[in-house]
Amino acid sequence: MSKTIKILLTGKDGQLGKALADKIPANFNIIALGRQQLDLSNEEACRQAVMEHRPDWVLNAGAYTAVDKAESEPELAMAVNAGAPRAFSQALSEIGGRLLQVSTDFVFNGSQGHPYHCDQPVDPINVYGATKAEGERLVQETLATTKYCILRTSWVYGPVGNNFCVTMLRLHRQKSAQNETLRVVADQIGCPTSTLNLAKACWSVINHEASGIHHFCDAGAASWYDFAIAIGDAGVAAGIINQSAKVVPITTSEYPTPAKRPGYSLLDCTTTKKALELDTNQWSKELSVVMEKISKLT
Ligand SMILES: NC(=O)c1ccc[n+]([C@@H]2O[C@H](COP(=O)([O-])OP(=O)(O)OC[C@H]3O[C@@H](n4cnc5c(N)ncnc54)[C@H](OP(=O)(O)O)[C@@H]3O)[C@@H](O)[C@H]2O)c1
């Protein structure tokens, strides 16, 4: 019989946290904490949680993810996205546990025009990206390489939570009913990644004791405009919406936001998929899987 692995999961009420809690491997014993149980902006509380539960792994899926709001709340974003992983790393180094720190494509500046490798230097262009990059740096500074895995991903969406897919379904429904168009940015390129697959990748990291920096996304590339069209089509096909709205491509400059976004943030996942023995479908196929789940919820 395989040994039970004790995991302290943060961010249990987030979209990734929920997908993780939905499919827990048989040999994993999960202590799942949300905001009510652990304030990630409190380093002492993060340390105490590790010392109390003494897990084999901390899976840090909690984060300050409000990219635009982070521009006006940099201290809070830094406390959650860098302070918490530092506290987890320090406590884990004392008890001999490991950390799975989920991170983001937004640690890169998005200007190189081809996919980013795991070992490329980070260069964030907004506060959120800077706080996640600092979190990565503190983990690497505190724990031996064999004791942490930083798993970067991109454009995360799933059946529940606050995400682009759920928002676009609502907008397709509203705009098509009013015979209006949907204007979506077409000059930012990345890859949508479903929480269902990302959760599998997280469990696989732990099962394989993967370490160092890894990249995991669904396969292919898209703009937000491509993604919005596909969401409309898949939403109709799954019977979630009656019709989709016409989607009009716009440029980033036509949709100003407080935080700058990387123009091209594809992550090269080749080595990670080999190491984790994971194969991923094109993002558009994975979107259909998520739509099936949503159709069962509505
Ligand atoms: N979403 C994306 O597109 C994306 C892309 C790349 C990487 N990532 C990374 O993927 C991971 C999972 O993100 P996600 O999409 O699941 O985000 P999410 O849905 O926003 O979930 C984050 C969770 O963290 C919790 N949290 C925030 N501040 C907290 C605090 N001070 N104390 C305790 N809990 C706190 C949130 O609680 P509340 O619900 O109460 O606010 C939420 O439940 C994060 O590391 C994120 O940086 C996300």
Side-chain angles (χ1 to χ4, degrees):
M1 227 173 80
S2 53
K3 173 185 170 279
T4 300
I5 302 172
K6 189 172 178 185
I7 298 162
L8 188 71
L9 168 68
T10 71
K12 79 171 174 68
D13 301 314
Q15 52 170 347
L16 173 59
K18 284 189 173 144
L20 285 162
D22 238 24
K23 283 241 177 327
I24 301 173
N27 58 322
F28 289 6
N29 168 19
I30 309 292
I31 298 137
L33 306 179
R35 191 187 281 276
Q36 304 305 321
Q37 296 78 37
L38 175 62
D39 176 2
L40 292 171
S41 68
N42 180 338
E43 287 196 49
E44 185 49 31
C46 293
R47 177 187 166 76
Q48 284 302 325
V50 174
M51 290 311 187
E52 180 188 338
H53 297 290
R54 305 186 78 81
D56 298 302
W57 283 81
V58 170
L59 199 177
N60 189 24
Y64 183 110
T65 56
V67 176
D68 287 317
K69 210 169 162 200
E71 298 294 312
S72 53
E73 287 186 342
E75 292 87 7
L76 179 58
M78 192 61 91
V80 176
N81 291 345
R86 168 170 51 200
F88 291 138
S89 300
Q90 284 170 347
L92 286 166
S93 72
E94 290 173 40
I95 66 161
R98 296 169 196 260
L99 175 65
L100 168 44
Q101 169 68 15
V102 183
S103 194
T104 172
D105 54 333
F106 278 28
V107 296
F108 295 115
N109 65 23
S111 64
Q112 80 172 15
H114 57 89
Y116 287 92
H117 286 280
C118 305
D119 54 5
Q120 284 193 244
V122 299
D123 180 25
I125 57 170
N126 60 36
V127 168
Y128 167 73
T131 62
K132 294 294 288 187
E134 180 64 1
E136 291 187 0
R137 191 188 70 75
L138 291 167
V139 169
Q140 294 173 84
E141 185 182 88
T142 313
L143 282 170
T145 312
T146 52
K147 293 291 188 182
Y148 69 79
C149 177
I150 291 167
L151 188 66
R152 296 190 189 122
T153 186
S154 65
W155 296 25
V156 178
Y157 73 100
V160 292
N162 187 12
N163 65 61
F164 186 81
C165 178
V166 170
T167 303
M168 280 297 135
L169 280 174
R170 191 185 68 241
L171 290 175
H172 271 295
R173 194 179 287 119
Q174 276 173 10
K175 299 280 185 188
S176 62
Q178 291 157 0
N179 219 4
E180 287 176 2
T181 56
L182 236 175
R183 290 157 50 82
V184 183
V185 170
D187 57 359
Q188 288 168 29
I189 306 296
C191 188
T193 303
S194 93
T195 51
L196 313 178
N197 277 342
L198 182 57
K200 275 190 214 157
C202 289
W203 295 140
S204 188
V205 162
I206 294 177
N207 266 325
H208 285 80
E209 297 191 347
S211 62
I213 300 178
H214 285 273
H215 287 172
F216 180 86
C217 306
D218 287 334
S223 68
W224 293 111
Y225 164 75
D226 300 327
F227 194 22
I229 292 176
I231 291 165
D233 291 347
V236 171
I240 301 164
I241 52 176
N242 293 330
Q243 57 178 336
S244 56
K246 180 174 162 39
V247 185
V248 175
I250 60 169
T251 61
T252 299
S253 58
E254 289 176 276
Y255 188 74
T257 52
K260 275 198 209 163
R261 261 81 173 164
Y264 182 101
S265 60
L266 274 188
L267 300 176
D268 186 321
C269 305
T270 324
T271 51
T272 302
K273 287 181 183 175
K274 249 191 214 155
L276 300 184
E277 298 177 280
L278 288 173
D279 204 12
T280 48
N281 280 324
Q282 252 337 81
W283 64 266
S284 51
K285 269 202 173 171
E286 295 304 333
L287 177 62
S288 308
V289 178
V290 171
M291 287 297 173
E292 282 307 312
K293 283 239 167 201
I294 296 177
S295 71
K296 288 183 185 129
L297 297 174
T298 48

